[in-house]
Amino acid sequence: MNIILLGPPGAGKGTQAARLVAERQMVQLSTGDMLRAAVKAGTPVGLQAKAVMEAGELVSDAIVSALIGERLDQADSAGGAIFDGYPRTEAQAHALDLLLSERARALDFVVELQVDEAALIERVVGRYTCAKCGEGYHDRFKLPMVAGVCDVCGSTEFKRRPDDNAETVRTRMAEYRAKTAPILPLYEARGLVRRVDGMADMDAVGAAISGILEA
Ligand code: AP5
Ligand code: MG
């Protein structure tokens, strides 16, 4: 099964992708995570992407589609892929169609997380992750069970994304509205879109997505 999770910054794409990975034989293909890894490693792609990401703008279509293509060729993606944060433009949507058809694969669903943008700023600005294992937390919505200690690996080091400030989030949302939301009709015409209330609590959103995949 191959699915796209679509929604603006803070909609819960990464949160729900991680749940699906834990429950099913699927991998999370997050272009945001791939780009952050490239920035950290200081690769040529990372050097090009760093300032663009910090400004909340979109990295070039060619770069992100190449990253996805490489990732689809790794054996672990054969059981199914969750596209998180990709595609984000019409050109990327066409590139994904080609990448999948070249590998005799197809999209099963496009799950749109429907959210209230005003509430998302708080979600994004309050987000942090374990610096060691990457487990996600939130200042208000998901605290570690023991303050300052990661539930999963016990680390006491946490980090925040440089683009998770209110000003950059507004640019990221504007990019979503201008360039990403317009790809939905392409998938609607193919009968692939399923809508989920992304403002429900995380478990309810997860249950709704599972219901779609099992239908
Ligand atoms: P990317 O990393 O994809 O960021 P994004 O799309 O802005 O989305 P986020 O990761 O911020 O949100 P999310 O939907 O994953 O939410 P999460 O689950 O963490 O991209 C970053 C940058 O990389 C882009 O700006 C661009 O520069 C570049 N880039 C990436 N892909 C690209 C592409 N294809 N083309 C071009 N450029 C690209 O949840 C957020 C918080 O809310 C968490 O703290 C979570 O705990 C909490 N939360 C989640 N669900 C709920 C809930 N139901 N109730 C309450 N709290 C919740
Ligand atoms: Mg994410």
Side-chain angles (χ1 to χ4, degrees):
M1 184 163 283
N2 302 295
I3 67 163
I4 295 173
L5 294 182
L6 202 72
K13 303 180 296 292
T15 302
Q16 296 303 329
R19 289 179 169 232
L20 290 169
V21 168
E23 288 163 12
R24 294 161 195 267
Q25 298 286 87
M26 296 176 87
V27 292
Q28 174 186 10
L29 304 191
S30 159
T31 39
D33 287 349
M34 293 174 200
L35 291 167
R36 280 184 287 280
V39 169
K40 194 173 171 201
T43 65
V45 163
L47 294 175
Q48 277 193 58
K50 187 171 188 286
V52 179
M53 293 173 78
E54 281 176 9
E57 290 161 6
L58 294 187
V59 174
S60 84
D61 293 331
I63 287 182
V64 292
S65 295
L67 289 172
I68 289 286
E70 280 166 26
R71 196 62 188 79
L72 280 173
D73 288 332
Q74 291 171 19
D76 65 347
S77 85
I82 306 152
F83 297 98
D84 160 5
Y86 178 91
R88 263 174 146 97
T89 62
E90 199 173 321
Q92 292 179 27
H94 293 310
L96 178 60
D97 283 341
L98 195 63
L99 288 169
L100 289 172
S101 68
E102 283 167 353
R103 291 161 179 81
R105 294 171 69 159
L107 274 177
D108 293 282
F109 297 111
V110 175
V111 177
E112 184 197 3
L113 296 167
Q114 292 193 303
V115 283
D116 164 11
E117 278 197 12
L120 296 188
I121 307 261
E122 184 189 9
R123 274 200 196 174
V124 174
V125 173
R127 167 174 60 187
Y128 60 99
T129 53
C130 171
K132 197 168 159 216
C133 74
E135 180 69 4
Y137 295 97
H138 190 279
D139 292 328
R140 216 177 120 202
F141 305 125
K142 191 187 163 200
L143 292 161
M145 285 181 284
V146 177
V149 182
C150 176
D151 297 344
V152 176
C153 74
S155 168
T156 53
E157 302 278 322
F158 296 89
K159 61 179 183 186
R160 290 182 192 258
R161 277 170 45 179
D163 59 344
D164 279 352
N165 57 75
E167 192 197 333
T168 308
V169 174
R170 284 185 224 282
T171 306
R172 286 157 58 196
M173 282 178 176
E175 290 280 78
Y176 180 83
R177 278 194 297 270
K179 296 172 187 161
T180 309
I183 69 177
L184 265 167
L186 305 178
Y187 294 120
E188 258 160 33
R190 287 156 60 180
L192 295 176
V193 179
R194 302 290 182 277
R195 296 199 160 78
V196 167
D197 175 12
M199 298 314 293
D201 69 54
M202 292 178 208
D203 290 339
V205 177
I209 295 174
S210 291
I212 290 166
L213 303 195
E214 279 148 25

